[in-house]
Amino acid sequence: MMARGHVRFLVLILAVAICGAASAVQPISDSHRSAAVDVFVPVDGSDKSLEEAYEALKTLEILGIDKKSDLSSATCENVVKVLGSSSSTLKDAFYALKVNGILKCKSGGDVPKEVVSQLQAGVKDAKSLLDFYYSVGGLVLVKEQFSGTDPSLGDAKAIFRSIKSLSQNDGRWRYSSNKPGSSTFAAGLAFETLAGVISLAPSEIDQSLIQTLKTGIVKLFDSIQKYDDGTYYFDEKVVDGHESQGPISTTASVIRGITSFAASESTGLDLPGDKIVGLGKFLLGVGVPGDAKDFFNQIDALACLEDNRFSVPLILSLPSTVISLTKKEPLKVKVSTVFGSKTPALTVKLSHALTSGSKDSSVITNQELKFDADTATYFLDSFPKNFDIGKYTFVFEILLDDSANEKAYITEAETKVPIAVTGVISIENPEIAVLDSDIGSVESQKKLDLTKDGAVSLSANHLQKLRLSFQLTTPIGRGFKPHQAFLKLKHESQVEHIFLVKTSAKKSELVLDFLGLVDKLYYLSGKYEIQLTIGDASMENSLLRNIGHIELDLPERPEKAPRAPLQSADPLSRYGPKAEISHIFRVPEKLPAKQLSLVFLGLIVLPFVGFLIGLTWLGVNIKSFPSSAGPAISALLFHGGIGAVLLLYVLFWLKLDLFTTLKALSLLGVFLLFVGHRALSHLASASNKLKSA
Amino acid sequence: MVKSTSKDAQDLFHSLRSAYSATPTNLKIIDLYVVFAVFTALIQVVYMALVGSFPFNSFLSGVLSCVGTAVLAVCLRIQVNKENKEFKDLAPERAFADFVLCNLVLHLVIINFLG
């Protein structure tokens, strides 16, 4: 009983997990806020870098969580220290100014002059994109935070051009001119930096420069990656040298870049709307990241999308993707911005509902959803008569009522959402009967009451059959074929047998002929419990019921028949660890002592030395080695070729396989044949001449 | 009796040596090579007798390499011997080419078997 409880619990968890995975993207909600507190608040300003402190503060500020007091004192000290010294790095100065923008540690006329001059020098000496990013970004922050200052950039046009010179043809950017690898993440940084240059010196940058940058942005959008459900994201293609950036931070970087660029200039940026919505869906689809960096990137990029100069994406979300036909639940749809705030008046249309599996049959077409102003929900409460349970793909369209808003807001052309429709399935004519095998006449027949356990008690012998039948119909009266229909027979000795019920839309039936099953039942007579399982994802009243028991009278077990396997007490133990398998390896043969082998290796050389000594004693010479160039070369090649073949053999012994060796050997062999023939025929003709002379 | 036997044996060796010294140098080189190969094989057999025949294929390939090349050298000697009228028409260079080819094939098999 305990074990079954465990199994049910597992199934429940799985079902919840599956339902959760199937739902479409949801806007940022309270779950993000509570997670953000967990991820960011245990920061103690002193032991975190300013970059991390800024990311925490910025995320909390966007989400509207007021935790500044927890962080401010230690972090502010750090900020004042960095802004007061002239030796801090550009990166520290940049993040100190960013934190200062949120915490207001230093403001008004109290301009940190050292930092401004340091940043100005940084712009002048900048070699890499990151130098430009920190120094220009820092100057923009100084201009924003300290009233009355207008830090000059120097030659803004030249700076703009030198940043632009790092761009690549495909819209991506290099980190510096001597590093060849280009990066999408760097492109985002570059757009932000150039936007800073434009805002610091708006009069100096002319339209042609801005126009080239715009075409660069459009090109970058050609390299965007896509998922099948209309989700778009940016990813790094090559990562060399620099730390690798994941898709979240790359996408966030590009979004930050294009929003600050769009904010800095007035002519407007024309970006493909479906891709902007797709980027929003990607960032929302991440869910709640556990990593602080990802969390910041997600929230910061979504905040950029929420408040931008080109167009604000609207996201369609469903509180539940499961509709119950029996409970007459309406289909609810919400449309909001990525942070869940209100949208202008609009119409949501269900353009069609497709049965999954078949492409063409649309059950509902062109239905406009009603609007409930109190909950800001669009809903559909009446479904057509032929709308049955099952799995569907609903295709929604969002139309803005006021065409003036069409510039400011963008929506997906159509949003596809998988919807599961469930209902109570009625089980009709459930019957269980024992039949006489030869004539097929009914011995005893019982109506089943599937609402309670243990109602049936039957008895049968091995010459009889058991028949179970029922019909399933959906709420609108159609025949229904469930995913699962099993009958389980369980003997007193815990031996179980599972039989599949043959299902069809008209009638589900199972006939057990005990004569053919005696072997499978291990000739075990006695009481069997009968358990019936009917289940389907769309069936709200899926059941698992002990419908009673049957007393079976089977013949004696013959000698040869197999015995019933022993059942372990705990059925879950079969998922436990298996017994350890101990492998028996061949014991390695005893090898002789190394010294002895080396001694014999030396001994092997001795006959060879003797051979060489013998050769000198015989007075061997190489006088007949050809002296003229051509034959000498072929003789040398002949000896070299033999050496090469022997070397090939050594390689074959050490690492090559037979096929490689044979291939190389056939080439070498042809060569050897050729030079050998030449060398030896020269020798032969020389000795012939000698003879005839 | 004993003395005369040892003297006969000495005479026999003397005559053998003087007869062998008339052998052409190239045949002597081949003889030396055969002796070298046979001794190498013998050392391997002694090693096997001392430590056992565990990587038996290695032992076999080592010994067979020596014995095989010795046999091939003997064949070469038969063919290049001028006294041997049977191979009168065969050029010694051709015989040497055969020797090289056979050795290469033999050692391909040996290396394959060596393991």
Side-chain angles (χ1 to χ4, degrees), chain A residues 589 591-592 596-597 600 603-604 607-608 611 614-615 618 620 638 642 645 649 652-653 662 665 672 680 683-684 687, chain B residues 25 28-29 32-33 36 39-40 43-44 46-47 50-51 54 82 93 96-97 100 104-105 107-108 111-112 114-115:
Chain A
E589 295 275 344
L591 285 176
L596 185 69
S597 300
F600 270 84
L603 277 182
I604 286 286
F608 183 66
F611 177 60
L615 285 184
L618 283 173
V620 175
F638 179 48
I642 294 173
V645 172
Y649 287 173
F652 172 41
W653 181 43
L662 285 180
L665 186 62
L672 203 58
L680 291 176
L683 279 181
S687 68
Chain B
T25 316
K28 280 186 185 165
I29 296 174
L32 195 61
Y33 180 75
F36 149 65
F39 267 97
T40 310
I43 289 172
Q44 292 180 55
V46 170
Y47 176 72
L50 276 179
V51 305
F54 159 51
K82 294 226 171 51
E93 286 78 15
F96 181 68
V100 169
L104 291 181
V105 173
H107 280 91
L108 176 65
I111 292 283
N112 195 17
L114 189 59

Side-chain angles (χ1 to χ4, degrees), chain A residues 311-332:
Chain A
S311 33
V312 177
L314 295 180
I315 301 289
L316 181 140
S317 60
L318 277 79
S320 161
T321 55
V322 180
I323 316 171
S324 168
L325 266 192
T326 318
K327 290 181 201 150
K328 307 266 182 228
E329 280 174 354
L331 170 71
K332 287 180 190 162

